[in-house]
Amino acid sequence: MPSVQLPKKEALIVDDDVRARELLSEFCRGQGFEVATAHDGRAAIAAISRDPKQFAVIITDLHLPGADGFEVLRAARDANPSVYVLMITGYASIDSAVRAVREGAYDYLAKPFALGQLEVVLTRIKDRMALEQENRELSKLVGRDAAAATADLGWRLQAIEERLAHIEALLRTRG
């Protein structure tokens, strides 16, 4: 089994509440993520637009000034379909949860939530990222092996054809 090198894990935390943003940032750092923050939806969308592949995870509040969490979610998914977006809100409803998931959110947490709940979600995301990376590595390995086998098979076929041509030439000279 090849050793799998995980890609850089960077999270963007988007919340207009400074204390919530700092708490989430510190928690995500403790989970092994590099962290960037945004205080409103427009700042988050600008950060996403600057480097669409920068963030592996985006944790965004639903109600934000400038642009709401759904706009951040759409911008993130348009820029990088493989990004994991976690929606958090103090105004949870079934409708907003269903909408979030339909629009591509990985998960949805209602505030206040226990950090243990966030840890479970982040662990699932990290495990999934590791599996996706392992799949990419194995696909490359299989591709290389298939290419080598094809080249070897081509060489063997050519050698067989040359031998057959030689045998046919010998048979024609005898006959």
Side-chain angles (χ1 to χ4, degrees):
M1 181 72 68
S3 70
V4 177
Q5 183 75 26
L6 282 178
K8 181 175 81 170
K9 297 178 300 205
E10 190 162 351
L12 175 63
I13 311 298
V14 189
D15 202 313
D16 57 330
D17 180 331
V18 174
R19 289 184 304 210
R21 195 169 59 239
E22 289 174 355
L23 175 67
L24 290 170
S25 297
E26 191 60 35
F27 185 78
C28 287
R29 282 187 193 95
Q31 295 294 309
F33 288 90
E34 294 179 31
V35 175
T37 62
H39 64 283
D40 67 23
R42 276 192 220 131
I45 291 169
I48 293 164
S49 297
R50 274 193 300 276
D51 186 357
K53 299 287 186 183
Q54 178 179 0
F55 304 109
V57 176
I58 297 174
I59 301 174
T60 183
D61 193 6
L62 184 57
H63 294 283
L64 295 165
D68 70 11
F70 287 111
E71 291 173 88
V72 173
L73 171 62
R74 276 190 298 279
R77 300 286 295 161
D78 287 347
N80 179 5
S82 65
V83 70
Y84 294 94
V85 180
L86 172 60
M87 303 286 287
I88 58 175
T89 183
Y91 304 96
S93 71
I94 297 295
D95 289 340
S96 65
V98 168
R99 180 179 171 197
V101 172
R102 278 191 180 145
E103 291 190 24
Y106 181 75
D107 212 331
Y108 178 99
L109 292 177
K111 290 180 182 178
F113 53 84
L115 290 177
Q117 289 174 277
L118 180 58
E119 181 178 14
V120 167
V121 173
L122 292 176
T123 298
R124 282 194 342 241
I125 289 171
K126 290 187 291 185
D127 289 347
R128 190 166 175 166
M129 289 168 60
L131 286 171
E132 289 168 348
Q133 183 63 30
E134 183 176 1
N135 187 31
R136 284 190 291 275
E137 294 294 324
L138 289 172
S139 293
K140 285 181 192 174
L141 185 62
V142 167
R144 281 194 302 265
D145 288 349
T150 301
D152 185 48
L153 182 60
W155 177 83
R156 288 179 182 198
L157 287 173
Q158 182 180 355
I160 291 170
E161 287 175 0
E162 288 172 2
R163 286 186 198 131
L164 285 174
H166 180 69
I167 291 170
E168 287 174 351
L170 286 173
L171 290 172
R172 273 192 298 261
T173 59
R174 290 187 178 179

